Amino acid sequence: SSQFGIKPRGLGATLRPWPQPDPPHDLPRAMVKTVSRAERGTHLKFSVKILKTVRSFTPYTPIKYGPNPKFLGSKSFDRYKGYMGARTVGEALHRGSKVLDLCWELVRGHFKLLPVSKARAKLRNMSAKDTKKVEEMLKKTPAPRGLAIPIDDKDAEKELDKEEQWMAGKLRLIAATAKKLGVELEEETRDDLQEDGIYEIADTRNGRFVADKLAQSILKEVKAGGKVTDAHATEVLTSLAEGVGGGGE
């Protein structure tokens, strides 16, 4: 989680708690409007265990899907219908599944991992080129967001838990400040935002929105006879911080 990282928090770093938000600045309510689009949920977060399991998959990993759990008439229902007959991970991806679908559906038990037989499973209706494409998709299985050490490290789960607690503190601070300033926060997935050509995650985008409005309120105070202080600068930068500032030494 360090797109703006100045000091990455590696293994063993000390995470300082986020400060409690100060009383609101004297600023008329300002609203950041969000683009209206179909809601498809918030950021998907998976455990180290789930992601390590999916990263271990090959095109030949045998699986068995259950009944279609998606909403009838939805695009996801039709897409699941297209790959639910797959007998291997490779067939599922070739028929329209995605790596994140594998994570999501593994967590919810929508498919089962079958015992691996001595004879390698056959990939039905797939060419060598198709198999190669699936292998490349599996190589791009993401590591958990915010994990500053390799996912295979023995301390990965502990480090991720520490990072998520730190991030939760940041998000609570941003939410409280946004409420005071009248900033409407986004709760959309990376895919939702990218459909509109926005290549930021919602958390980073929200932090920027809050920092912008906070800076405006401080400048208003200065024009009224106040003075920009180090505390003001820290307050604004805290909203922007993602893996920096309050994060560690």
Side-chain angles (χ1 to χ4, degrees):
S1 67
S2 56
Q3 290 184 19
F4 297 104
I6 296 173
K7 285 188 178 181
R9 283 190 300 277
L11 182 62
T14 301
L15 302 184
R16 296 195 297 273
W18 286 100
Q20 294 301 309
D22 294 326
H25 296 276
D26 181 19
L27 175 72
R29 290 184 63 80
M31 186 69 72
V32 176
K33 298 292 185 182
T34 59
V35 179
S36 176
R37 57 171 81 83
E39 194 170 302
R40 291 189 295 181
T42 55
H43 295 302
L44 303 181
K45 293 186 178 180
F46 303 106
S47 68
V48 169
K49 181 179 179 181
I50 288 296
L51 288 170
K52 286 178 72 172
T53 299
V54 173
R55 287 164 71 95
S56 73
F57 288 168
T58 74
Y60 305 95
T61 300
I63 58 176
K64 181 179 181 180
Y65 281 93
N68 197 328
K70 313 295 183 178
F71 289 109
L72 181 64
S74 67
K75 291 182 179 179
S76 58
F77 180 94
D78 293 337
R79 197 158 56 83
Y80 188 94
K81 184 178 179 180
Y83 62 76
M84 63 185 291
R87 297 178 184 174
T88 63
V89 167
E91 289 180 4
L93 293 172
H94 179 61
R95 296 182 186 189
S97 181
K98 300 177 182 178
V99 171
L100 289 181
D101 289 330
L102 293 173
C103 298
W104 178 269
E105 291 159 4
L106 179 60
V107 169
R108 284 153 184 77
H110 295 165
F111 68 83
K112 294 180 180 179
L113 293 173
L114 303 179
V116 178
S117 61
K118 292 183 179 180
R120 191 166 68 175
K122 293 183 178 180
L123 302 181
R124 297 171 296 170
N125 301 315
M126 289 180 63
S127 65
K129 184 177 180 180
D130 294 331
T131 303
K132 183 67 174 177
K133 181 178 180 180
V134 165
E135 289 174 342
E136 292 301 315
M137 292 173 69
L138 289 169
K139 287 180 182 178
K140 296 178 181 178
T141 302
R145 180 180 163 216
L147 185 61
I149 61 176
I151 191 173
D152 294 322
D153 191 288
K154 63 181 179 65
D155 291 311
E157 292 192 48
K158 181 175 67 176
E159 285 296 301
L160 184 61
D161 181 63
K162 183 168 65 173
E163 166 70 18
E164 288 182 344
Q165 289 182 34
W166 180 87
M167 180 59 72
K170 172 196 169 178
L171 296 180
R172 285 193 297 270
L173 178 63
I174 287 178
T177 308
K179 185 176 181 179
K180 292 175 182 177
L181 298 176
V183 177
E184 183 179 338
L185 301 181
E186 292 193 345
E187 295 184 356
E188 294 161 295
T189 66
R190 183 189 297 267
D191 287 344
D192 286 332
L193 293 171
Q194 287 187 359
E195 283 179 355
D196 288 332
I198 300 169
Y199 292 88
E200 285 180 302
I201 59 173
D203 291 346
T204 300
R205 188 169 169 81
N206 286 335
R208 184 165 56 79
F209 286 160
V210 169
D212 286 346
K213 293 301 176 184
L214 195 53
Q216 288 177 28
S217 71
I218 292 170
L219 290 175
K220 183 178 179 180
E221 289 180 357
V222 172
K223 289 180 180 179
K227 180 181 178 181
V228 176
T229 65
D230 289 344
H232 286 143
T234 299
E235 189 176 8
V236 173
L237 291 173
T238 295
S239 297
L240 285 173
E242 187 168 340
V244 299
E249 300 296 330

